[in-house]
Amino acid sequence: MSMERHIEWTSPAALWDQFNGPTSDSQRRVFRTPAILRFATDDFMQDFISVMENDPRRASSLLAVPETWRKPAAETEVPRVKGGLVGALERARTVAVRKLEARQGIVRTSGWNDAPPALPLKFYQPAHQRYYLVTAALICRTVGLPDRAVDTTKQEKATFVIRMLQPPPGASVNPDPLACEELALVGDEWKPVSDGASLAEGETQYPLSPFTYHEVDGRRRRVFNGLIPVAKRETLVAAKTPNPDPTPALVPIDARQMMLKSQVLSPWAQLTEVAKLAAQQVATVDDPPDAGDVADTRQLANEQIQTISWYILLDLDQWLEENLPTVHDAVVANSSANLSGAKLTAFQTLQGISRSGSSLITALNTIRASKNELETVKTVYRTGAGDWPAFPFRFVNADQVNFGTDQAQRASLETALVAALDQPLPGVVPVAPRAAALVNATVHRQPWFTVRCVFERPQCTGVKPAVVSDPSAAFQMAAFFDPDAPARPIRVAMPADTTPAGLRKFDKNTAFVLSDVLCGQFSAMRGLSFGDLIRAVLPWPLHKDLDVTPSACTDGGGLSIGMVCSFSIPIITICALILLMIIVKLLDIVFFWLPFFQICLPVPKFDAKGES
């Protein structure tokens, strides 16, 4: 018999006698698999230590079982560790009770159950106040099943791995891990493993920590434990998986293309919405429309479009410089002599888009000279303003909106620029666009997982270097907004006395530091009244445009100044609650969600002035 057959992973020794035997095939399998304990408090490690030090046999009641917030799992009273003589006497009493139960053949209630659960075993996140510990014992398969020590001086280590399961068609609510194909996480990709009882090369591993406790008979036993990272569910689910279907797999969008979309194409598309909104306002302000109001509405829209268009040009120029340097050089030289193929097509596409009498290439070369001006300006752009560039270039015109042509040009520009990108992706991938690209290629599903414990002996020659346990029970990981997830209790105490006499007592301890620009914008908004907002949406003759022209705050002599404003948090909280209720009731017209939004219960004898 080889050495590796003397070493085996099992469920913790504290759980071995919970099923008298074991007496069935399923219980024998449970005996050879890691156990997963479920905790519902943030002090889960202290709870685990308390159970193992005071009454390790109670660990069976902590086994993870299917639950929802409507039907939560039964909570186990966790004994607290007591020191000194009292603690020693209580532990001695527990030992005596367990020995008496053993003589009488009494088996305490445990989590072992041969009946298949009616609900899927779903693990919830720490945000739901749930924590899951994988626990296992590393033993030598000899008389007494003694613990196998991990010799770190020989680079031995104990870890666990998470495997994704691919159940066969027609699998039950909780599939059998042994009947499923396993996928190992290698880097950011799930790869099939030919032998589930072996460690895949480069597979992601999570640490196991040893913990020593005393059994009922006084023997010292060791259990390994590790926290299952349920909070990493989105990362695990978003990792690339093999495509079992004959249809082509979804491929994440190139991060450079996502940068182009987020910095150039999407703002350009939003300008179309600005022009469309201006056209709707022109149609509804007057009947028949007044020529002066129409001109003012279109001018305000065009001024906003012009402002954003200049910054889109800056971002497009920077994108070309970083991702298509040869095309950018050709744009600077306004010559395509050194281009060919897809890069020549990209240049010609840029040249074919023109606005306000200028091609896109001319606009890019012109805006480059105004970059510092655009980055330092503090005023709002108005026609003829001297702090802004003098040349006009609007991607969209509120006077002549051609949505079809505009959309077609964006699509052709994106196609041409993406086709000209070099492959493979060079340099560092931007994080945020990469995340959006991965979401685009994610298959939205509820996958199954299992856990295996791993014991590695790299210096042990002639034997298999890793001892891998049997798979644990199959489980799913709940998303952050899972309808079955327990809700962490959160209590926000509002101010009790909301009269002026009560609210004046609160300190204004929350300070907002405003720059000179934000100070001017803030002052302009404070000058508006509720009546101004109402008149801005009323038809003629009651209609009146908002007069908001913010400028940077100064001391009157040209010196820029900021502002520090202190607020009372209790009053801010009241305002936030009132605004939330108003918005929720307005949106209830669309979502019909108000009956599920809140419940209000009476609190007797809660008098705001009761303490005064």
Side-chain angles (χ1 to χ4, degrees):
M1 181 181 294
S2 65
M3 185 183 301
E4 67 177 271
R5 295 184 181 179
H6 288 286
I7 305 174
E8 183 178 19
W9 284 103
T10 69
S11 59
L15 307 178
W16 289 351
D17 64 348
Q18 298 301 307
F19 41 81
N20 275 339
T23 58
S24 67
D25 291 339
S26 62
Q27 289 176 346
R28 290 186 182 92
R29 282 183 52 185
V30 170
F31 173 78
R32 299 173 57 88
T33 61
I36 299 178
L37 307 184
R38 164 254 189 210
F39 297 88
T41 67
D42 293 330
D43 299 326
F44 64 97
M45 281 308 301
Q46 184 59 47
D47 292 344
F48 173 70
I49 293 173
S50 299
V51 169
M52 300 305 293
E53 288 188 349
N54 286 270
D55 192 2
R57 301 300 168 88
R58 193 178 294 188
S60 60
S61 61
L62 298 173
L63 290 171
V65 295
E67 65 170 333
T68 66
W69 69 268
R70 298 176 182 85
K71 296 180 179 180
E75 296 296 336
T76 301
E77 182 182 357
V78 177
R80 294 302 174 188
V81 178
K82 296 182 179 179
L85 181 60
V86 175
L89 291 176
E90 287 193 1
R91 285 189 288 273
R93 178 182 178 276
T94 300
V95 171
V97 170
R98 294 294 181 263
K99 289 182 177 180
L100 180 61
E101 290 175 348
R103 294 193 190 100
Q104 297 177 352
I106 299 176
V107 179
R108 297 178 65 85
T109 303
S110 70
W112 305 115
N113 190 359
D114 287 339
L119 297 173
L121 180 58
K122 186 182 294 185
F123 290 175
Y124 301 104
Q125 302 193 16
H128 307 139
Q129 207 169 27
R130 291 295 185 271
Y131 302 88
Y132 301 88
L133 287 182
V134 53
T135 57
L138 185 63
I139 63 170
C140 296
R141 197 186 304 174
T142 59
V143 177
L145 301 179
D147 291 324
R148 168 62 162 82
V150 177
D151 191 350
T152 56
T153 62
K154 297 181 179 179
Q155 299 180 351
E156 296 180 352
K157 65 178 181 178
T159 59
F160 73 94
V161 296
I162 298 177
R163 299 278 178 83
M164 180 182 286
L165 300 177
Q166 291 190 337
S172 60
V173 175
N174 287 280
D176 183 1
L178 295 179
C180 303
E181 180 184 357
E182 293 187 20
L183 304 176
L185 183 62
V186 180
D188 58 353
E189 181 178 359
W190 293 100
K191 295 185 177 181
V193 291
S194 56
D195 181 11
S198 62
L199 183 66
E201 184 178 357
E203 185 172 2
T204 301
Q205 298 172 256
Y206 302 91
L208 285 173
S209 302
F211 177 77
T212 303
Y213 67 96
H214 287 86
E215 264 293 347
V216 173
D217 55 8
R219 291 182 301 164
R220 289 171 59 87
R221 303 292 309 201
R222 182 185 295 108
V223 61
F224 289 88
N225 64 90
L227 179 64
I228 298 178
V230 185
K232 295 179 62 176
R233 176 200 182 265
E234 301 305 324
T235 301
L236 298 175
V237 173
K240 183 180 178 181
T241 57
N243 184 34
D245 302 325
T247 56
L250 294 174
V251 179
I253 297 177
D254 191 305
R256 296 166 294 180
Q257 183 179 357
M258 287 303 303
M259 290 289 288
L260 179 66
K261 285 178 176 291
S262 62
Q263 292 184 323
V264 178
L265 301 176
S266 293
W268 182 353
Q270 291 301 316
L271 293 183
T272 304
E273 297 300 320
V274 172
K276 185 186 300 184
L277 181 60
Q280 293 174 352
Q281 290 177 345
V282 166
T284 58
V285 166
D286 298 327
D287 188 16
D290 179 79
D293 290 340
V294 170
D296 291 342
T297 301
R298 288 177 174 172
Q299 180 176 344
L300 288 175
N302 280 330
E303 288 172 346
Q304 182 180 7
I305 292 171
Q306 177 62 87
T307 304
I308 304 303
S309 295
W310 281 326
Y311 290 107
I312 292 176
L313 288 174
L314 283 181
D315 291 335
L316 177 58
D317 185 70
Q318 182 177 355
W319 187 90
L320 290 172
E321 184 178 7
E322 293 177 352
N323 300 285
L324 290 174
T326 55
V327 176
H328 183 265
D329 292 341
V331 169
V332 173
N334 199 8
S335 172
S336 60
N338 298 325
L339 298 179
S340 62
K343 290 180 172 56
L344 177 59
T345 303
F347 179 89
Q348 293 172 344
T349 304
L350 291 170
Q351 197 173 38
I353 298 176
S354 62
R355 297 288 190 276
S356 305
S358 300
S359 69
L360 193 53
I361 289 181
T362 302
L364 289 172
N365 289 328
T366 307
I367 200 66
R368 201 174 299 114
S370 304
K371 180 176 182 180
N372 184 65
E373 185 180 2
L374 288 170
E375 297 290 0
T376 57
V377 66
K378 294 183 178 180
T379 60
V380 176
Y381 172 70
R382 292 292 182 259
T383 303
D387 295 338
W388 292 83
F391 81 99
F393 188 92
R394 295 194 294 266
F395 282 97
V396 180
N397 195 325
D399 302 325
Q400 301 173 350
V401 183
N402 192 339
F403 301 113
T405 302
D406 195 62
Q407 183 177 2
Q409 287 185 339
R410 288 198 306 272
S412 63
L413 179 62
E414 179 180 9
T415 301
L417 294 181
V418 171
L421 292 172
D422 295 324
Q423 300 297 336
L425 177 64
V428 179
V429 180
V431 176
R434 181 177 183 272
L438 289 176
V439 171
N440 180 77
T442 299
V443 178
H444 300 281
R445 63 193 186 283
Q446 190 70 282
W448 288 93
F449 299 94
T450 189
V451 167
R452 288 180 182 263
C453 294
V454 180
F455 173 55
E456 294 181 85
R457 303 163 292 168
Q459 294 186 4
C460 202
T461 59
V463 298
K464 192 176 181 179
V467 177
V468 181
S469 71
D470 286 355
S472 69
F475 59 87
Q476 295 177 332
M477 295 186 185
F480 188 85
F481 290 113
D482 191 290
D484 294 328
R488 178 183 288 269
I490 300 174
R491 178 176 175 268
V492 179
M494 300 294 290
D497 186 2
T498 55
T499 63
L503 293 177
R504 70 179 175 83
K505 300 176 183 179
F506 291 103
D507 187 15
K508 287 73 176 171
N509 62 332
T510 304
F512 288 79
V513 181
L514 313 179
S515 67
D516 58 337
V517 174
L518 184 56
C519 168
Q521 295 167 336
F522 186 73
S523 299
M525 293 303 299
R526 289 182 62 179
L528 296 178
S529 66
F530 185 71
D532 295 330
L533 297 177
I534 295 297
R535 295 190 64 182
V537 298
L538 289 177
W540 183 87
L542 301 178
H543 174 78
K544 179 182 179 181
D545 290 329
L546 294 176
D547 184 14
V548 181
T549 307
S551 59
C553 290
T554 63
D555 63 349
L559 177 65
S560 297
I561 60 173
M563 185 182 297
V564 177
C565 300
S566 297
F567 296 87
S568 173
I569 278 292
I571 297 180
I572 293 177
T573 308
I574 295 173
C575 295
L577 179 61
I578 294 174
L579 290 175
L580 173 66
M581 296 305 301
I582 293 174
I583 294 173
V584 166
K585 288 188 177 181
L586 288 175
L587 295 180
D588 183 59
I589 301 173
V590 178
F591 294 101
F592 300 104
W593 58 18
L594 198 57
F596 308 107
F597 177 66
Q598 67 175 4
I599 59 171
C600 294
L601 304 176
V603 181
K605 299 181 180 180
F606 186 23
D607 185 0
K609 299 288 187 178
E611 297 180 356
S612 59

